[in-house]
Amino acid sequence: MDLNLTGKRALVCGASRGIGKATAMELAANGASVTVLARSAEQLEHVRTTLPVIHAGQVHYALAVDATQDFELIQAVNNHVEKHGSFHILVNNTAGPAAGKLIDSTVDSLMEAFVQHILTAQRLIKILTPGMTSDQYGRVINIISTSVKQPIDGLGVSNTIRGAMASWSKTLATELAARHITVNNVLPGATETERLEAIITKQANVRGVSESEARSNMLAEIPMGRFAQPSEIANAVAFLASPSAGYITGTSIMVDGGRTKSLS
Ligand SMILES: NC(=O)c1ccc[n+]([C@@H]2O[C@H](COP(=O)([O-])OP(=O)(O)OC[C@H]3O[C@@H](n4cnc5c(N)ncnc54)[C@H](OP(=O)(O)O)[C@@H]3O)[C@@H](O)[C@H]2O)c1
């Protein structure tokens, strides 16, 4: 199996921590030159300097930008592409919407999530499609959620936006297949990051239980009896980014320890 990403350039969004950071590490470990993107410049620079370098010619960059600010994002990515070349691999990833029931959520919170997830991804793919097409190598991987298969209680805005993102992804997979660009999703289950801690705290508050009880309740729903490590999500991304995954497009891979009950 060919997982070698030497000569490939990857843009990994939401890479200052959590799943995005682990993904950047894994792509770099397989030889890609990685550009990490997030808002916090200091954290991002720290990640950039710790990315593996396994061959000469592999250079990593950091882009500190708020991806929801359209002008800022477009300018930063366009400038980067002009200077360092276009990307072969795009990992769409950002923070998840706040937890809570959909009925209690504001219209504004849905709008914000739409901007952060869908519009950011659309802006990026429009910039990067020409380069992927001319290099005949494109891998778009979206970090979404298992809620695409089975909505998760208490994550109303997230459930809604994840469905839209999966539909965006499937549509593009069809439209871009003939250009050697694949578009796939990785659906993490409960993964040990700051996002998971926030969800546990919220569930504990809503249900009036301690955080350790909320944690145990979540673990009880996972057949493997443990949360995922971010690196386990990153492994699936690295495979989809690789030459070996060239005939896989329009699909979603669940990495959830068996939690989701859906058959497809
Ligand atoms: N962890 C889980 O259990 C789990 C399960 C299922 C799905 N997911 C989903 O997987 C994705 C990643 O999860 P995670 O746990 O790694 O999340 P996380 O720890 O909250 O990390 C989110 C990343 O996105 C960046 N970010 C947030 N807003 C941004 C903005 N406006 N512009 C640019 N970057 C931004 C953050 O960096 P800055 O703050 O520096 O900008 C950070 O690097 C999320 O969508 C999450 O909902 C996670």
Side-chain angles (χ1 to χ4, degrees), residues 14 16-17 19 39-40 66-67 93-94 96 162 188-189 191 193 195:
S16 62
R17 58 175 189 265
I19 292 169
R39 290 166 303 181
S40 27
D66 183 342
N93 174 56
T94 187
R162 308 306 188 166
T191 307
T193 69
R195 160 84 174 161

Side-chain angles (χ1 to χ4, degrees), residues 89-249:
I89 299 161
L90 166 64
V91 179
N92 284 312
N93 174 56
T94 187
K101 287 187 176 179
L102 190 54
I103 195 66
D104 298 330
S105 304
T106 62
V107 168
D108 282 350
S109 65
L110 274 167
M111 186 61 87
E112 278 165 25
F114 190 79
V115 169
Q116 184 169 353
H117 290 254
I118 315 290
L119 299 193
T120 298
Q122 177 72 7
R123 288 182 180 119
L124 291 174
I125 196 65
K126 285 183 82 75
I127 297 173
L128 302 186
T129 300
M132 290 178 178
T133 306
S134 63
D135 284 356
Q136 302 209 341
Y137 195 100
R139 299 282 190 271
V140 181
I141 300 128
N142 310 301
I143 309 299
I144 315 187
S145 163
T146 57
S147 61
V148 164
K149 303 285 184 186
Q150 183 185 329
I152 298 171
D153 288 348
L155 292 180
V157 174
S158 179
N159 290 340
T160 307
I161 291 303
R162 308 306 188 166
M165 191 71 197
S167 193
W168 177 89
S169 176
K170 186 70 178 171
T171 304
L172 273 179
T174 308
E175 292 180 2
L176 299 180
R179 301 195 205 181
H180 309 277
I181 300 173
T182 68
V183 187
N184 292 292
N185 311 316
V186 171
L187 312 182
T191 307
E192 292 213 49
T193 69
E194 287 178 28
R195 160 84 174 161
L196 184 65
E197 291 310 316
I199 289 173
I200 288 172
T201 305
K202 176 88 182 184
Q203 285 200 357
N205 289 339
V206 168
R207 293 178 190 168
V209 298
S210 68
E211 290 196 9
S212 89
E213 199 175 336
R215 179 179 287 270
S216 301
N217 291 342
M218 280 181 88
L219 283 170
E221 290 174 7
I222 304 169
M224 285 193 183
R226 65 173 180 85
F227 296 133
Q229 290 304 310
S231 61
E232 295 179 296
I233 313 301
N235 289 341
V237 179
F239 168 64
L240 288 170
S242 75
S244 282
Y247 199 59
I248 301 176
T249 195

Side-chain angles (χ1 to χ4, degrees), residues 1-140:
M1 184 154 69
D2 182 5
L3 299 176
N4 191 344
L5 297 176
T6 300
K8 302 292 185 290
R9 289 181 293 271
L11 175 61
V12 182
C13 301
S16 62
R17 58 175 189 265
I19 292 169
K21 177 181 169 185
T23 296
M25 292 284 175
E26 191 57 37
L27 296 180
N30 285 294
S33 288
V34 176
T35 298
V36 287
L37 184 152
R39 290 166 303 181
S40 27
E42 208 175 310
Q43 237 174 309
L44 207 54
E45 183 56 16
H46 176 70
V47 172
R48 186 191 73 76
T49 55
T50 52
L51 291 174
V53 175
I54 63 163
H55 61 82
Q58 191 181 15
V59 189
H60 306 308
Y61 300 96
L63 273 184
V65 62
D66 183 342
T68 63
Q69 301 302 309
D70 55 350
F71 180 75
E72 244 182 73
L73 177 74
I74 292 167
Q75 194 181 40
V77 176
N78 269 328
N79 286 346
H80 190 282
V81 164
E82 248 175 58
K83 266 197 207 158
H84 306 295
S86 194
F87 294 100
H88 306 98
I89 299 161
L90 166 64
V91 179
N92 284 312
N93 174 56
T94 187
K101 287 187 176 179
L102 190 54
I103 195 66
D104 298 330
S105 304
T106 62
V107 168
D108 282 350
S109 65
L110 274 167
M111 186 61 87
E112 278 165 25
F114 190 79
V115 169
Q116 184 169 353
H117 290 254
I118 315 290
L119 299 193
T120 298
Q122 177 72 7
R123 288 182 180 119
L124 291 174
I125 196 65
K126 285 183 82 75
I127 297 173
L128 302 186
T129 300
M132 290 178 178
T133 306
S134 63
D135 284 356
Q136 302 209 341
Y137 195 100
R139 299 282 190 271
V140 181

